[in-house]
Amino acid sequence: MTDVIILHGAWHQPAHYDGLCDELRSQGLRVEVPDLYGLSLADSTTLVEDIVAHADRAPLVLGHSFGGVTAATVRGTAGIVFLTAWLLDAGESPAQLLAEVEKQDGAPPSGLALVPDDAGRLGVDPADARVNLYGDVDDDTAARAVELLRPEPPSIFAATPARVSWRDVPSLYIAGRDDHAIPASLAARFAARCDTSQTWQCSHSPFLSRTSAVADVVHQQLRSARR
C-alpha cells in the first residue's frame, strides 16, 4: 500500500530522506524508500516494480540523483519526478554521457571529489560533499547527511538501462541552479526529455534544503496523475 516511492541517489541511503518522508506521511501519504545499495540496475528495477505491483493504486516515483536511473526504468507508475537526477535513455550510461561532456567542453566536467578505499569503492570527500551535495543545507542537517554517505563501486557509472519507461508516464524534471553534481548541459538534456521541467534556486539536495517544496510537488503530481 504505497503512494510514493523515493529512490535514493548514489552514496546515499534511505535515512537521508527521513525528513521528506516524515513530511509526506504527516500529509497522509504512504511512502516507501527501498534500499538499492549494492544492487544492479536490473535488480533495482525488479525490487521497485514489486512494490508497485503490491500498491492498491499506481504510485508516484521520485528519483533523486542516481535514483533517477532506476526511476526511469520502472513500469506501472503514476508518474516520475526526477529531482536533480540522472535520466538515461536505453543504451546510455553515466560514463558515456560524462565522456560526451568532456569531448564537447574540452575538459573533464567538474563534479564530486571521489576517494577510493581499500576495497576499490569510491567515497565522496566529506568537505567536497558539504559544498557540492549540500551547499544550501543548514550545518546540522548537512553534517548528518555527510555522515550517512557510503562508498559505491565504480561500476555505478556503467549502469545502462536495456529499456526505459519514462516516455510512458507523466514526468517532471527539477534542476538546481547551484547543482554541482550534474553538469548543467546534461541537466538541460534530461529536463528536455520530460513532459515538464522546473529550475529551482538550490543545490543538489533540495529534499533537504527545500523539503516542503518537494513535498508540495509530490502532492501536485500525484493529484494530477490520479484525476
Side-chain angles (χ1 to χ4, degrees):
M1 300 301 181
T2 307
D3 297 304
V4 183
I5 303 171
I6 297 173
L7 303 182
H8 63 82
W11 299 287
H12 288 69
Q13 57 181 293
H16 278 96
Y17 305 84
D18 284 350
L20 177 59
C21 290
D22 289 346
E23 182 134 0
L24 292 171
R25 288 168 180 149
S26 73
Q27 298 165 358
L29 294 180
R30 301 164 296 180
V31 186
E32 285 202 44
V33 192
D35 193 351
L36 307 181
Y37 190 67
L39 299 181
S40 67
L41 177 56
D43 287 344
S44 295
T45 301
T46 298
L47 173 61
V48 180
E49 287 186 339
D50 185 62
I51 297 172
V52 171
H54 286 86
D56 53 347
R57 292 192 292 177
L60 183 77
V61 172
L62 183 149
H64 169 242
S65 195
F66 265 80
V69 177
T70 299
T73 66
V74 177
R75 293 168 292 190
T77 70
I80 310 171
V81 175
F82 294 96
L83 185 65
T84 55
W86 288 80
L87 198 180
L88 302 181
D89 205 347
E92 289 181 338
S93 71
Q96 171 196 336
L97 296 185
L98 290 170
E100 289 179 12
V101 172
E102 180 173 359
K103 183 177 180 179
Q104 174 184 312
D105 296 345
S110 59
L112 301 175
L114 303 178
V115 182
D117 65 12
D118 292 340
R121 300 171 302 179
L122 299 175
V124 183
D125 176 79
D128 185 77
R130 177 67 180 98
V131 173
N132 289 321
L133 290 179
Y134 313 119
D136 59 344
V137 178
D138 69 83
D139 288 340
D140 288 344
T141 303
R144 177 177 183 270
V146 170
E147 289 178 358
L148 287 170
L149 293 172
R150 50 193 178 179
E152 294 276 6
S155 59
I156 62 171
F157 292 101
T160 305
R163 57 153 175 88
V164 294
S165 60
W166 51 265
R167 291 189 182 88
D168 304 322
V169 295
S171 58
L172 166 66
Y173 193 91
I174 298 176
R177 285 193 178 90
D178 297 320
D179 184 356
H180 302 303
I182 297 179
S185 59
L186 289 182
R189 187 189 305 190
F190 300 153
R193 291 174 170 176
C194 291
D195 296 317
T196 56
S197 64
Q198 300 175 14
T199 301
W200 291 7
Q201 190 63 52
C202 66
S203 67
H204 189 63
S205 303
F207 66 94
L208 292 174
S209 61
R210 301 189 59 182
T211 307
S212 294
V214 175
D216 287 345
V217 163
V218 167
H219 273 283
Q220 291 163 10
Q221 295 296 110
L222 198 55
R223 282 197 300 267
S224 177
R226 288 179 171 176
R227 283 175 186 162

